[in-house]
């Protein structure tokens, strides 16, 4: 492909034309496919174009609802944006399963966010450490105008620490700050504070007579929030007497509970299983995070780091069968907001929050964690009973049929046929070939 300059300045249609000419043998069809997804309402399209850069179209994702999700005795219909079949169905099924067993419970354990100024400094650490409280005051003063609104809402900067990191790198220190960002995810707020801290540090060193020579100079490497927020933590759980689980598919309650708890134990100890297990949790989590206009990459990155906090990557969820009780829970850090960012801009993110009853950030954290737990319960329940393919393949079959542009009649015939046969891409193709050949034969 040829290099291009000035791409970002080109109008959208020209960008599309350029890529079509560069990669497609049928540029007109290529352009038409992308244009099909341009929003008919110009102002909505402009909004979407402005979320990102160099846009040539919109990429649609299915938006579904998982109804009947009882959390702390309140019923929700949870919006989920996800392209994978079976996920919304599994969450809905799990919600229904727990509905008459007390529903899901959730609680916030902590809501602290973290940011760091990474800097290099050649000087006497003890000297700096002894007067750090003075610098801290200075940093709080210098950020007062940035933090005013947040303080009025009950949040702001909670603490700033000076951390000696010379065991990792020569002359390396951090200003490690904790924040309460109330109902916003807070990335911009935190980063603005950090960049101001860096300037305060540099000015303060220059001004203070006790620092001399190279001590006057701190090299700021970078200022950035950390997406690892182990102290922005929520717990979601379900529990009931083992007997109340009833028959689960063809397993009696104690057998199901036993197999389920073993599956969790395996995911706690085997990295290969843990990764797939946690992927199932994020099927639920990401879908709600996306639907509410939050940053799913941040939530995922954080969750996976948290899963490794013992030094080995492990299951995020846990299960116990003590005292005749089945208890299944998930502790997970989730940094999300219900104000600011895309939550206010994306028309459907706003509607998602409306569907959830306009929760604050803490309530949303609980809803998201519960959806992850529901998803995980649904997946592991299938795995230890019928196997995952039974439910999965039913949905998958419809996707494959869509791929082959099956007619309604063919879909009905295929669904009937695969009630007793194993679904595979090849098996579906062969069946359709046969049905279509029979049809031609019949017409002759
Ligand atoms: C598929 O998207 C997710 C599962 O693999 C999760 C799991 O294995 O627990 C079904």
């Amino acid at each position: 492909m040829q290099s291009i300059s000035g791409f970002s300045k080109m109008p959208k249609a020209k960008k599309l034309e350029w890529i079509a000419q560069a990669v497609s043998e049928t540029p007109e069809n290529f352009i038409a496919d992308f244009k099909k997804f341009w929003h008919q309402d110009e102002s909505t399209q402009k909004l979407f174009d402005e979320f990102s850069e160099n846009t040539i179209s919109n990429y649609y994702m299915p938006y579904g609802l998982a109804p009947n999700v009882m959390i702390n005795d309140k019923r929700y219909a949870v919006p989920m944006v996800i392209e994978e079949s079976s996920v919304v169905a599994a969450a809905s099924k799990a919600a229904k399963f727990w509905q008459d067993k007390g529903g899901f419970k959730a609680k916030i354990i902590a809501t602290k966010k973290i940011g760091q100024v990474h800097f290099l400094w050649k000087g006497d650490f003890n000297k700096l450490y002894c007067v750090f409280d003075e610098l801290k005051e200075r940093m709080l003063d210098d950020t007062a105008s940035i933090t005013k609104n947040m303080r009025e809402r009950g949040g702001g900067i909670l603490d700033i620490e000076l951390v000696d990191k010379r065991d990792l790198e020569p002359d390396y220190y951090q200003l490690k700050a904790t924040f309460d960002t109330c109902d916003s995810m807070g990335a911009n707020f935190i980063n603005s504070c950090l960049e101001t801290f860096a300037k305060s540090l540099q000015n303060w060193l220059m001004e203070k007579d006790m620092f001399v020579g190279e001590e006057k100079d701190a090299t700021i490497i970078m200022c950035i929030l950390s997406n690892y927020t182990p102290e922005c933590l929520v717990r979601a759980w379900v529990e009931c007497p083992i007997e109340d689980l009833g028959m689960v598919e063809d397993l009696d309650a104690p057998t199901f509970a036993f197999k389920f708890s073993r599956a969790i134990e395996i995911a706690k100890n085997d990295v290969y299983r843990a990764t797939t297990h946690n992927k199932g949790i994020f099927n639920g989590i990401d879908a709600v995070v996306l639907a509410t206009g939050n940053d799913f990459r941040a939530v995922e990155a954080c969750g996976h780091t948290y899963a490794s906090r013992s030094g080995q990557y492990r299951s995020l969820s846990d299960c116990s069968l003590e005292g005749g009780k089945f208890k299944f829970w998930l502790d997970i850090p989730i940094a999300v907001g219900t104000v600011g960012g895309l939550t206010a801009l994306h028309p459907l993110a706003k509607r998602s929050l409306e569907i959830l009853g306009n929760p604050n950030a803490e309530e949303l954290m609980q809803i998201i964690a519960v959806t992850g737990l529901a998803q995980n319960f649904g997946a592991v329940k299938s795995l230890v009973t019928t196997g995952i393919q039974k439910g999965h393949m039913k949905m998958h079959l419809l996707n494959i049929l869509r791929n082959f542009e099956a007619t309604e009649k063919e879909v009905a015939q295929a669904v009937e046929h695969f009630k007793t046969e194993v679904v595979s891409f090849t098996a579906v193709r062969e069946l359709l070939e046969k049905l279509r050949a029979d049809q031609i034969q019949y017409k002759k």
Side-chain angles (χ1 to χ4, degrees):
M1 186 178 290
Q2 294 219 316
S3 149
I4 184 165
S5 60
F7 185 72
S8 66
K9 305 261 173 347
M10 280 160 60
K12 191 160 68 174
K14 284 270 173 249
K15 289 189 179 94
L16 186 50
E17 217 175 280
W18 174 78
I19 191 70
Q21 295 296 346
V23 303
S24 178
E25 291 188 349
T26 53
E28 272 171 28
N29 296 346
F30 181 97
I31 290 171
D33 275 344
F34 278 91
K35 276 195 170 172
K36 226 188 282 173
F37 293 94
W38 286 11
H39 204 284
Q40 62 217 21
D41 174 47
E42 249 177 65
S43 64
T44 306
Q45 186 53 57
K46 188 165 177 291
L47 184 71
F48 276 80
D49 287 340
E50 286 169 1
F51 287 155
S52 181
E53 302 80 33
N54 291 348
T55 53
I56 57 170
S57 192
N58 309 302
Y59 190 96
Y60 283 28
M61 296 268 276
Y63 182 118
L65 284 179
N68 302 317
V69 183
M70 289 292 290
I71 307 175
N72 298 337
D73 302 320
K74 184 172 167 186
R75 193 184 309 274
Y76 297 86
V78 178
M80 299 177 76
V81 171
I82 185 156
E83 84 297 350
E84 184 177 333
S85 60
S86 300
V87 169
V88 178
S92 309
K93 234 173 130 181
K96 209 163 166 198
F97 183 93
W98 284 101
Q99 191 173 218
D100 60 355
K101 298 177 184 65
F104 294 88
K105 304 284 178 217
K107 70 172 182 194
I108 298 295
I109 297 172
T111 56
K112 272 188 207 164
K113 314 248 169 82
I114 291 168
Q116 298 163 307
V117 177
H118 304 267
F119 67 98
L120 304 181
W121 185 65
K122 289 180 195 299
D124 178 349
F125 173 68
N126 287 330
K127 220 157 110 182
L128 182 57
Y129 190 77
C130 286
V131 286
F132 182 68
D133 278 349
E134 190 187 314
L135 172 59
K136 199 153 116 177
E137 280 310 309
R138 170 75 174 261
M139 290 189 283
L140 293 176
D141 284 349
D142 289 350
T143 47
S145 61
I146 304 174
T147 58
K148 184 170 179 287
N149 268 342
M150 199 64 89
R151 280 184 283 122
E152 280 167 9
R153 279 152 47 196
I157 300 163
L158 301 176
D159 196 14
I160 312 168
E161 286 172 78
L162 173 65
V163 191
D164 183 354
K165 290 285 192 183
R166 285 174 299 173
D167 55 325
L168 298 181
E169 285 277 328
D171 310 323
Y172 171 34
Y173 300 92
Q174 281 178 9
L175 297 172
K176 185 177 178 208
T178 44
F179 301 85
D180 177 349
T181 60
C182 302
D183 287 331
S184 65
M185 196 266 191
N188 281 330
F189 169 75
I190 294 174
N191 290 334
S192 299
C193 288
L194 295 171
E195 290 185 4
T196 306
F197 295 164
K199 286 196 191 97
S200 309
L201 168 69
Q202 287 180 310
N203 293 339
W204 183 78
L205 288 172
M206 288 302 280
E207 288 161 22
K208 282 211 69 86
D209 292 339
M210 66 184 282
F211 298 111
V212 290
E214 57 185 4
E215 283 181 338
K216 288 224 163 282
D217 191 26
T219 305
I220 306 297
I221 302 296
M222 58 189 159
C223 310
I224 186 74
L225 92 168
S226 171
N227 285 121
Y228 185 41
T229 54
E231 287 185 273
C232 188
L233 194 65
V234 52
R235 170 171 293 184
W237 73 96
V238 282
E239 62 185 327
C240 71
I242 290 174
E243 255 51 65
D244 290 3
L245 292 167
M247 282 298 286
V248 185
E249 301 297 340
D250 55 353
L251 297 185
D252 60 39
T255 311
F256 169 75
F258 172 75
K259 284 187 77 177
F260 191 98
S261 70
R262 290 306 87 195
I264 303 300
E265 211 53 37
I266 291 166
K268 275 162 70 183
N269 294 312
D270 179 79
V271 167
Y272 289 90
R273 176 57 203 150
T275 307
T276 318
H277 180 94
N278 289 345
K279 189 271 183 185
I281 294 175
F282 280 105
N283 275 346
I285 288 186
D286 286 356
V288 189
V289 172
L290 256 174
T292 55
N294 276 286
D295 182 344
F296 65 95
R297 285 89 54 212
V299 173
E300 277 253 3
C302 180
H304 293 302
T305 310
Y306 192 70
S308 312
R309 66 195 180 284
S310 67
Q312 187 193 310
Y313 187 86
R314 296 180 192 281
S315 156
L316 284 161
S317 59
D318 208 339
C319 179
S320 77
L321 303 180
E322 281 154 29
K325 254 197 171 175
F326 176 88
K327 187 165 180 188
F328 178 47
W329 70 95
L330 168 70
D331 285 352
I332 188 159
I334 298 177
V336 287
T338 54
V339 298
L342 222 60
T343 59
L345 294 175
H346 194 301
L348 291 186
K350 251 203 250 178
R351 291 290 182 201
S352 298
L353 292 170
E354 187 182 343
I355 290 172
L356 292 171
N358 291 317
N360 61 18
E362 293 193 5
E363 191 179 353
L364 182 60
M365 282 167 74
Q366 297 180 49
I367 295 166
I368 292 170
V370 161
T371 312
L373 186 76
Q375 201 60 49
N376 190 211
F377 178 80
V380 177
K381 173 173 161 282
S382 293
L383 288 170
V384 301
T385 56
T386 57
I388 205 72
Q389 288 308 77
K390 190 172 172 227
H392 228 245
M393 277 300 161
K394 227 191 285 168
M395 302 279 193
H396 192 46
L397 171 62
L398 297 177
N399 281 343
I400 300 175
L401 287 167
R402 229 166 275 136
N403 234 297
F404 286 116
E405 295 177 359
T407 62
E408 266 179 45
K409 189 174 168 205
E410 286 169 342
V411 169
Q413 286 171 308
V415 167
E416 194 51 40
H417 175 84
F418 284 105
K419 274 185 181 160
T420 51
E421 300 296 322
V422 176
V423 178
S424 75
F425 202 80
T426 312
V428 176
R429 193 187 52 216
E430 283 172 1
L431 176 74
L432 284 176
E433 279 168 2
K434 185 175 175 305
L435 291 175
R436 287 170 185 175
D438 289 352
Q439 182 79 4
I440 291 167
Q441 198 66 24
Y442 177 72
K443 276 190 183 152
K444 278 184 188 161

